[in-house]
Amino acid sequence: MPASVSQRLFTQGGVYSLAQIANQAMTFLLLPMYGRYLGEEGFGVISLMGVAGTFLGFILIQGLYGAWFRLRFDEDGPAELRRFEATIIWYLLTSVAVGLGVLLLIGRWIAPYCTPNVPFYPLGLLTSIYAAATVFVTLYERKLQAEQRPVAFAIFSGLRTLLMLGTIVLFVAGFGWGAEGKIRADALTAILLGTAALALLKPAGPGAFSPSKLRRSLSYGLPLVPHHIAGLANDLIDRVIISAKLNLAQTGSYTMGYRMGAVGLIVATAVNRAFAPLFITPLKGVENARENGDEESERANLEALARAALQSVTLTACVSLGMAAITREALLIMAPTFTESFRVVAVVGVAIVAWACYFPFSQSITYRANRVVLLGAITVLGAVVNILGNLWLIPRHGVMGAAWATLASSVTLAMAAWWIGQSLTPIPYRAARWAGMLAVFVAGMAGTWWLDTRIDSLGLRIVLKLAVAGSAALACLWMTGVRWADVH
C-alpha cells in the first residue's frame, strides 16, 4: 500500500509538475523581454497587478472551488453530480457578472488603497476582467484534478501557456505596449480560456439549479474566503508595503528574487494537486477499517499517507536547493537588471518548504467539512504575522525584511496546520525523520547563501554551491526513503 500511494503521487505529481514547469518556463523566457521593454518599474507594475488579479479572483469565486473539489466525492451518482456542477456554474456566472458591475462603479475610488500608484482605468479594469474569466478556468482544472486526469490537465495547461506566451510577446514587444500590453494579454487570454472551460464543462441548463446544493456548497466555500484572502495577503502585502515604503523598482527587484526562490512552489503545488484526491480515498479506507476492526489495514493506510506527505516536502526541498545554487548566475545571463535579486532567494526557498509542509498537514482539516472554517483561522494568523513582519522589517532591512516576514508566516502556517490537523485526523508522521530532513535542508540553504555573498569568483562559487546543494539534496532523499522506483 505505501508504495502504491507513493507511486501514484509521483506519477500524477510528475505530470502536474511538468505542466507547471512549462508555465514557469514561460516566465523565464519572458525575462529578457521584460528587462528590455519594462524595466524594474514596469515589472513592479505587472507583479502588483498580477497578485491583485489573483486576490480578486478568489473573492469572485467565493471559496466555491474548494466545495467544487471536495463535495463532489459525496454526490450520489452521475445525475446528482451533474446537478451539483450546474448549480455552482450558474450561480458563479450570475455573481461574477454582478461583481464586475460593482467594480465598474467603485473601482476608481478603491484603487489608490489596493494598488498604490496604479490606476483602475485601464489596468485595474483589465485585471478585473482577467480575474472574472479565470474563475471558470479554475473550475475546469479542479474537476480534472478531482477525477485524477493529470494528462488532460497538462494538455489544457500547455495550451494555456502557449496562448499566453504568444499574446504577451505580441502585445509587449510587437505592439510596444509595455506593462499595459502584458495586462491586456492576460485579460484577452483569460476570456478565451474561460469560454473554452465553460464549453468543456458542459453544464446542464438553469433548470438543474438546486438551492439545497448551493446552500451546502456555500456552507463549505464561504468559510474558505478568509482563508483565501489571508493566504493571498502573503503574496500581496510585501509588494504593497515595498511599493509604499520604498519604490516600484524595489518591488520589481524583490518580485524577481521571490519568483526564483519560489520555483520549489511549482513542485509543492503540483504534488499537492495529486496528493489531495489521493488523501481522501485512504482516509475513507481508514474509517471503514475502524468500523470493521481491521487494525492492520488502518495502519497501512495511515502510514502510506505519512510517507507520501514527507516525500512531497522532500522533493520541494531538493528543488529549492537547486534554485538557490544557480539563481545568481542565472540572473546574470537572463536578466542582468535584476542581479541583486538573488539575495532573497535562500530565505524565500526555506519559506516555500515550510509552505510545502503546510499543504499535506492542511488536508487533515479540509477533509472534515464541518471543520473547514479552522483553515481560515490558520491563514488569518499567518497573514497577521506576515503583515506585522513586513511593517516592522521592511523599513529596517529593505527587501530582505519582506523575505524574513514571508518565512515567519510560512512557519506559522505549517505549525498551526500540523497541530490542528493532528487533532482532527491524526496521521503517524515520524517526527525524527521530518526534523532530520528539514535540518539538513536548512543547512544546505544557509551554505549556498553564504557562498553567494562571500565568494566573488564565478567559477569557484558555482562549483562550491552545486556541491553543497547537491550533497544536502541527496542526504534529504536518503533520509526520507525516496526510492528510484517511486521517482521513475
Side-chain angles (χ1 to χ4, degrees), residues 278-300:
L278 292 175
F279 186 86
I280 295 173
T281 302
L283 276 187
K284 289 187 177 294
V286 167
E287 292 173 351
N288 292 333
R290 284 174 181 168
E291 291 177 0
N292 298 326
D294 188 351
E295 295 182 1
E296 183 177 351
S297 177
E298 176 185 347
R299 184 172 57 256

Side-chain angles (χ1 to χ4, degrees), residues 333-347:
I333 297 170
M334 294 186 301
T337 307
F338 300 96
T339 51
E340 291 301 306
S341 297
F342 80 91
R343 297 184 180 278
V344 304
V345 170
V347 179

Side-chain angles (χ1 to χ4, degrees), residues 97-445:
V98 172
L100 282 177
V102 171
L103 285 171
L104 282 171
L105 294 175
I106 67 173
R108 61 183 299 182
W109 287 282
I110 66 174
Y113 304 99
C114 300
T115 54
N117 305 317
V118 180
F120 183 75
Y121 298 104
L123 300 186
L125 176 59
L126 290 169
T127 300
S128 301
I129 293 171
Y130 160 82
T134 303
V135 164
F136 303 102
V137 176
T138 300
L139 289 185
Y140 181 63
E141 290 180 341
R142 293 288 276 181
K143 179 178 181 178
L144 295 177
Q145 178 191 353
E147 294 175 352
Q148 298 185 43
R149 296 168 58 194
V151 174
F153 181 97
I155 292 172
F156 183 77
S157 178
L159 293 173
R160 178 182 184 182
T161 298
L162 290 174
L163 180 61
M164 291 184 68
L165 178 63
T167 309
I168 290 170
V169 171
L170 177 64
F171 285 12
V172 174
F175 295 158
W177 290 343
E180 184 176 335
K182 164 65 166 63
I183 296 171
R184 285 186 183 183
D186 287 344
L188 176 60
T189 54
I191 291 171
L192 296 174
L193 290 164
T195 303
L198 281 171
L200 291 167
L201 287 168
K202 299 177 182 178
F209 183 88
S210 168
S212 63
K213 290 185 185 297
L214 178 61
R215 287 193 297 270
R216 180 165 160 262
S217 298
L218 288 172
S219 69
Y220 186 99
L222 288 178
L224 289 175
V225 174
H227 161 64
H228 296 317
I229 294 174
L232 282 173
N234 287 325
D235 281 333
L236 179 62
I237 196 63
D238 49 8
R239 292 157 181 80
V240 170
I241 296 177
I242 290 172
S243 178
K245 300 289 186 181
L246 304 176
N247 51 59
L248 282 174
Q250 289 293 302
T251 306
S253 179
Y254 171 76
T255 302
M256 181 62 71
Y258 185 93
R259 287 192 177 186
M260 299 294 282
V263 167
L265 191 58
I266 298 174
V267 175
T269 305
V271 175
N272 188 61
R273 287 184 186 275
F275 187 75
L278 292 175
F279 186 86
I280 295 173
T281 302
L283 276 187
K284 289 187 177 294
V286 167
E287 292 173 351
N288 292 333
R290 284 174 181 168
E291 291 177 0
N292 298 326
D294 188 351
E295 295 182 1
E296 183 177 351
S297 177
E298 176 185 347
R299 184 172 57 256
N301 278 284
L302 291 173
E303 288 179 353
L305 288 176
R307 181 171 182 265
L310 177 56
Q311 291 182 344
S312 70
V313 176
T314 302
L315 290 179
T316 304
C318 292
V319 173
S320 295
L321 283 163
M323 287 307 302
I326 66 171
T327 290
R328 184 175 182 183
E329 291 71 27
L331 288 173
L332 286 172
I333 297 170
M334 294 186 301
T337 307
F338 300 96
T339 51
E340 291 301 306
S341 297
F342 80 91
R343 297 184 180 278
V344 304
V345 170
V347 179
V348 170
V350 177
I352 294 306
V353 171
W355 210 322
C357 294
Y358 160 81
F359 281 148
F361 296 159
S362 66
Q363 294 298 329
S364 297
I365 303 172
T366 57
Y367 181 76
R368 306 294 178 187
N370 60 343
R371 293 290 185 269
V372 72
V373 67
L374 296 174
L375 202 63
I378 291 173
T379 43
V380 167
L381 175 62
V384 170
V385 171
N386 201 11
I387 292 169
L388 295 177
N390 276 286
L391 288 172
W392 184 52
L393 293 171
I394 287 176
R396 293 166 174 80
H397 304 288
V399 295
M400 281 302 299
W404 286 111
T406 298
L407 174 58
S409 174
S410 298
V411 170
T412 301
L413 286 171
M415 293 179 65
W418 174 81
W419 181 62
I420 295 178
Q422 288 295 87
S423 68
L424 296 176
T425 313
I427 306 295
Y429 299 119
R430 297 186 180 181
R433 283 195 176 186
W434 281 78
M437 186 278 290
L438 291 173
V440 170
F441 162 71
V442 171
M445 293 294 279

Side-chain angles (χ1 to χ4, degrees), residues 445-480:
M445 293 294 279
T448 56
W449 181 85
W450 187 89
L451 292 168
D452 254 337
T453 56
R454 294 294 188 274
I455 297 179
D456 294 327
S457 172
L458 189 150
L460 177 61
R461 184 175 67 235
I462 190 67
V463 169
L464 291 175
K465 286 194 299 177
L466 289 173
V468 170
S471 299
L474 289 173
C476 289
L477 293 170
W478 175 77
M479 294 174 67
T480 54

